[in-house]
Amino acid sequence: MVRLLLTRGLLDRALAVLREELRAAPKNADLLRVIVRIHRAMGNEAAALGDIATGLGHVPEHPGLLADRAAMMMDAKRWTEAEADIRTLMRLEPAEEAWPRELARCFMDGGRFADGIAQLEAVRDRNPADPKRWWDIVYAYTDRGMHAEAVPA
């Protein structure tokens, strides 16, 4: 039912159905994440953040909700708040490689380029034989027009 409403663009109706489901299972963070994404698709960032806060009240330190909030903070250029959530994600899921790379992006986009490169280098140093980790650093430089710096000395 919800999928049909979503495919037809009836986001308000889909939200109503999902809210009813959420009343029966208020700790269902996956359901809440769908609601958050619908709010974002509708351009209602305040409602999305409110639902994330509610969800984290029920399920503190839920990685998915934290990741959604970090993404929203980064989109809004609220780097300090995004950094806090990403650091929490790194603590909760230390094996996940996406979080340190997201932290690096947060640093670089927030004007802390050297900190971002240091973060990417730390990721690279976990497995220096993996070429993808080297390319992350090269692209960080070249995407900013810093071609000479992209080549190791």
Side-chain angles (χ1 to χ4, degrees), residues 23-41:
R23 282 192 228 321
K27 294 183 179 184
N28 185 337
D30 294 327
L31 180 59
L32 192 55
R33 290 185 74 202
V34 173
I35 292 171
V36 165
R37 289 182 178 149
I38 293 171
H39 280 305
R40 290 195 74 195

Side-chain angles (χ1 to χ4, degrees), residues 125-139:
D125 292 345
R126 290 183 190 169
N127 183 5
D130 184 354
K132 290 183 285 188
R133 295 170 191 218
W134 288 90
W135 283 112
D136 286 339
I137 297 167
V138 169
Y139 287 134

Side-chain angles (χ1 to χ4, degrees), residues 4 9 11 20 30 33 37-38 41-42 48 65 70 82 86 90 96-97 103 111 120 127 141:
L4 179 63
L11 302 182
E20 277 302 311
D30 294 327
R33 290 185 74 202
R37 289 182 178 149
I38 293 171
M42 295 172 72
L65 292 171
I86 295 168
M90 288 170 63
E96 177 59 58
E97 290 184 16
L103 183 60
L120 289 176
N127 183 5
Y141 282 113

Side-chain angles (χ1 to χ4, degrees), residues 2 5-6 10-23 31-32 34-40 42 44 47 51:
V2 171
L5 293 170
L6 291 172
L10 302 171
L11 302 182
D12 286 328
R13 288 187 186 169
L15 272 176
V17 171
L18 291 169
R19 289 254 179 242
E20 277 302 311
E21 290 180 27
L22 191 61
R23 282 192 228 321
L31 180 59
L32 192 55
V34 173
I35 292 171
V36 165
R37 289 182 178 149
I38 293 171
H39 280 305
R40 290 195 74 195
M42 295 172 72
N44 193 344
D51 282 332

Side-chain angles (χ1 to χ4, degrees), residues 12-136:
D12 286 328
R13 288 187 186 169
L15 272 176
V17 171
L18 291 169
R19 289 254 179 242
E20 277 302 311
E21 290 180 27
L22 191 61
R23 282 192 228 321
K27 294 183 179 184
N28 185 337
D30 294 327
L31 180 59
L32 192 55
R33 290 185 74 202
V34 173
I35 292 171
V36 165
R37 289 182 178 149
I38 293 171
H39 280 305
R40 290 195 74 195
M42 295 172 72
N44 193 344
E45 302 290 314
L49 286 172
D51 282 332
I52 289 171
T54 298
L56 290 171
H58 291 295
V59 188
E61 296 192 335
H62 185 278
L65 292 171
L66 288 168
D68 288 344
R69 186 170 65 187
M72 290 180 70
M73 295 299 104
M74 288 177 75
D75 289 347
K77 300 185 183 337
R78 293 166 60 180
W79 311 116
T80 304
E81 293 157 284
E83 178 183 346
D85 283 338
I86 295 168
R87 286 191 184 279
T88 300
L89 287 163
M90 288 170 63
R91 180 179 49 78
L92 294 173
E93 300 179 337
E96 177 59 58
E97 290 184 16
W99 307 138
R101 290 195 336 265
E102 285 298 309
L103 183 60
R105 189 180 124 219
C106 183
F107 285 155
M108 288 186 273
D109 291 349
R112 295 167 52 193
F113 186 77
D115 291 337
I117 289 296
Q119 186 66 39
L120 289 176
E121 288 171 345
V123 171
R124 177 206 57 207
D125 292 345
R126 290 183 190 169
N127 183 5
D130 184 354
K132 290 183 285 188
R133 295 170 191 218
W134 288 90
W135 283 112
D136 286 339

